């Protein structure tokens, strides 16, 4: 069995191919909807379940409850304690992964077709009868607290927390979804149970499935797995009021290299100009070594190993962010160059060659995302959460190619705000006053 699973894992990394991503919308007999890509070439299926809300559902005095709960889901269920549960999962040659982010709690399951029924039974028990045993709670709590102590010494994490607090204020986005040492230390089992009940409900469920399963079989599986969840969960918070003022804030930290996280207000995923902004970002500081920021900050001046920018369209707020790291004596210059490029593109736009190169990169790299059943299942669930059409995969590159130079330069003049660009710097920067 182990060798067979390994063979399947190797094979599924390359399947299905880009051209074969044909999505079906499935509705179970009880009305649960899912998106499915059938691939019967190997006896293997990946299932992705996502629940909207994530760590943003935490009450202000219960920060970290959803994150801790997600870490405890697989620590025993039904009649199985944590050790027996792990043995059962291993015997079935299956894997379950759980994650909690600002907007989402996700469960990723991978299993062989011959064990589908048994895996479904185990996952159902996991989702409906988590034990939250005292010893498991304390063990996972200790792991979370250890991670928080480590994060407190990581310049990147320090910058992220400081920037979020500044940008989102009292909104849940302004707090660390993992919680704090004090809040996690004070969480009770009742708090964890309350977090569990708030997350798992039909009104926030999205499902993607890829592999050796038919639409009919998936419908039966979904009803068996999910039909008993309540219709509604905990209220999702309202939109965040993003407040980012231009300037620099410095968090003193003893390190030879400063880390700077920078950002401004962003653009919503459903804004008509989103694709123009997406292409613009690729030119500014996207994943290519040919971006403006890489060229000006790294190649021309040697101020950093890497500098990047990225759009962050969350469910409840949108920001435009970036990051750069440099020596304490050079970070001020790096910040000046970043701000200058922000201002230059806002005023003067980009060139046709920059636009063409960005579109070539973005359209060429897109098929590489579909490199395995699990990745595709995750994409399917994410597309539904973003309210994208079912044919988005086949039309996405057309949307990128449709962006014109006029589009990009208009959006650059409207979106880029060099005076509103804020830099949160962690380190001992020379020549910067925060």
């Amino acid at each position: 069995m182990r060798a067979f699973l390994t063979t399947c894992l190797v094979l599924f990394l390359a399947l299905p191919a880009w051209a074969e991503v044909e999505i079906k919308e499935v509705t179970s007999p009880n009305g649960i909807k899912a998106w499915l890509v059938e691939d019967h070439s190997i006896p293997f299926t990946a299932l992705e379940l996502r629940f909207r809300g994530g760590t943003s559902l935490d009450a202000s005095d219960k920060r970290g409850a959803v994150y801790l709960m997600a870490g405890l889901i697989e620590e025993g269920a039904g009649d199985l304690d944590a050790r027996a549960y792990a043995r059962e999962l291993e015997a079935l040659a299956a894997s379950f992964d759980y994650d909690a982010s600002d907007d989402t709690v996700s469960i990723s399951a991978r299993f062989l077709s011959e064990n589908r029924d048994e895996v479904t039974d185990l996952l159902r028990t996991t989702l409906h009868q988590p034990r939250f045993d005292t010893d498991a709670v304390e063990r996972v709590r200790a792991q979370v607290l250890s991670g928080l102590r480590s994060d407190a010494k990581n310049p990147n994490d320090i910058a992220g927390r400081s920037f979020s607090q500044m940008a989102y204020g009292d909104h849940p986005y302004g707090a660390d979804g993992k919680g704090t040492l004090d809040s996690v230390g004070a969480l009770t089992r009742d708090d964890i149970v309350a977090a569990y009940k708030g997350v798992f409900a039909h009104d926030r469920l999205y499902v993607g499935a890829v592999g050796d399963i038919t639409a009919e079989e998936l419908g039966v599986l979904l009803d068996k797995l999910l039909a008993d969840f309540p219709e509604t969960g905990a209220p999702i918070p309202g939109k965040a009021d993003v407040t980012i003022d231009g300037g620099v804030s410095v968090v003193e930290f003893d390190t030879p290299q400063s880390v700077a996280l920078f950002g401004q207000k962003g653009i919503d995923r459903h804004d008509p100009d989103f694709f123009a902004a997406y292409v613009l970002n690729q030119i500014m500081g996207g994943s290519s070594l040919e971006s403006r920021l890489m060229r000006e900050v790294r190649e021309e001046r040697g101020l950093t190993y890497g500098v990047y920018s990225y759009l962050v369209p969350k469910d409840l707020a949108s920001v435009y962010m970036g990051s750069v790291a440099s020596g304490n004596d050079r970070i001020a210059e790096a910040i000046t160059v970043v701000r200058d490029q922000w201002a230059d593109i806002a005023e003067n736009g980009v060139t046709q060659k920059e636009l063409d190169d960005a579109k070539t990169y973005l359209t060429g790299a897109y098929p590489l995302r579909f490199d395995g059943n699990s990745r595709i299942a995750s994409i399917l669930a994410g597309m539904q959460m973003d309210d994208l059409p079912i044919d988005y995969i086949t039309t996405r590159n057309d949307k990128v190619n449709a962006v014109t130079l006029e589009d990009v330069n208009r959006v650059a003049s409207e979106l880029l705000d060099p005076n509103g660009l804020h830099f949160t710097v962690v380190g001992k920067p020379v020549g910067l006053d925060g």
Side-chain angles (χ1 to χ4, degrees), residues 358-371:
K359 292 200 294 189
T360 297
Y361 181 89
L362 291 172
T363 55
Y366 187 58
L368 301 180
R369 300 182 185 183
F370 302 87
D371 63 351

Side-chain angles (χ1 to χ4, degrees), residues 65-66 69 132 188-200 234:
V66 168
M69 181 275 298
F132 301 134
T188 67
R189 185 181 185 279
D190 287 344
D191 296 329
I192 294 165
V193 172
Y196 160 79
K197 292 180 178 178
V199 166
F200 295 106

Side-chain angles (χ1 to χ4, degrees), residues 6 34 88 131 156 159 168 206 232 264 272 289 302 308 348 362 376 385:
T6 301
E88 181 73 10
R131 290 168 63 106
N156 292 290
Y168 303 118
Y206 303 86
T232 59
Q264 61 154 82
L289 292 174
Y308 307 96
N348 302 312
L362 291 172
I376 298 171
M385 289 196 72

Side-chain angles (χ1 to χ4, degrees), residues 2 22 103 115 118 140 186 200 226 264 288 340 390 413 433:
R2 179 72 58 189
E22 298 179 1
D103 295 321
N115 295 334
E118 294 89 342
V140 176
F200 295 106
L226 304 167
Q264 61 154 82
S288 169
D340 286 348
I390 200 167
S413 67
D433 296 319

Side-chain angles (χ1 to χ4, degrees), residues 145-396:
L145 291 173
S146 177
L148 289 172
R149 293 187 187 99
S150 178
D151 292 347
K153 301 176 183 178
N154 185 312
N156 292 290
D157 289 316
I158 295 169
R161 288 193 300 272
S162 180
F163 188 93
S164 294
Q165 290 165 5
M166 177 269 300
Y168 303 118
D170 292 335
H171 192 274
Y173 284 173
D176 189 336
K178 297 178 183 178
T180 66
L181 292 175
D182 289 340
S183 69
V184 174
L187 291 172
T188 67
R189 185 181 185 279
D190 287 344
D191 296 329
I192 294 165
V193 172
Y196 160 79
K197 292 180 178 178
V199 166
F200 295 106
H202 286 156
D203 66 340
R204 60 205 58 204
L205 170 66
Y206 303 86
V207 182
V210 179
D212 184 31
I213 190 168
T214 66
E216 182 178 2
E217 290 167 339
L218 178 59
V220 172
L221 183 152
L222 293 176
D223 281 347
K224 184 177 182 180
L225 194 62
L226 304 167
D228 292 343
F229 276 138
E231 286 303 314
T232 59
I236 293 174
K239 294 284 187 179
D241 183 14
V242 179
T243 55
I244 302 176
D245 297 322
V248 177
S249 57
V250 176
V251 181
E252 289 284 338
F253 190 78
D254 190 11
T255 176
Q257 178 171 272
S258 290
V259 170
L261 193 66
F262 55 89
Q264 61 154 82
K265 292 184 178 181
I267 183 169
D268 187 81
R269 179 69 182 77
H270 298 289
D271 190 292
D273 286 326
F274 179 82
F275 270 95
Y278 183 65
V279 175
L280 169 65
N281 174 68
Q282 179 62 26
I283 297 169
M284 174 67 83
S287 49
S288 169
L289 292 174
E290 302 302 317
S291 73
R292 281 280 192 102
L293 294 183
M294 282 292 247
R295 184 172 72 241
E296 296 297 329
V297 182
R298 171 179 162 163
E299 301 299 331
E300 295 294 328
R301 296 169 177 83
L303 297 174
T304 187
Y305 179 76
V307 55
Y308 307 96
S309 65
Y310 37 91
L311 298 172
V312 188
K314 298 184 180 184
D315 283 358
L316 307 175
S318 298
V319 293
Y320 187 10
M321 299 188 66
S323 62
V324 63
S326 190
N328 287 328
D329 60 341
R330 308 196 75 186
I331 191 67
E333 183 182 358
I335 287 173
T336 297
V337 176
V338 171
R339 200 186 298 279
D340 286 348
Q341 287 305 307
W342 225 259
D344 180 67
I345 295 182
E347 181 178 357
N348 302 312
V350 303
T351 67
Q352 185 66 51
K353 183 179 186 309
E354 286 177 314
L355 173 62
D356 293 341
D357 288 347
K359 292 200 294 189
T360 297
Y361 181 89
L362 291 172
T363 55
Y366 187 58
L368 301 180
R369 300 182 185 183
F370 302 87
D371 63 351
N373 291 8
S374 295
R375 285 285 302 275
I376 298 171
S378 178
I379 289 169
L380 297 185
M383 286 169 57
Q384 294 171 78
M385 289 196 72
D386 284 339
D387 196 26
L388 297 175
I390 200 167
D391 66 346
Y392 175 79
I393 291 175
T394 59
T395 63
R396 180 268 194 186

Side-chain angles (χ1 to χ4, degrees), residues 1-16 39-46 92-95 110-115 210-212 371-374:
M1 178 66 73
R2 179 72 58 189
F4 180 57
L5 173 61
T6 301
T7 300
C8 285
L9 289 174
V10 171
L11 287 172
F12 95 92
L13 288 175
L15 296 169
D39 174 22
H40 300 287
S41 59
I42 56 173
F44 187 91
T45 300
L92 291 171
S95 67
R110 293 167 293 278
F111 50 88
L112 298 170
S113 299
E114 65 183 78
N115 295 334
V210 179
D212 184 31
D371 63 351
N373 291 8
S374 295

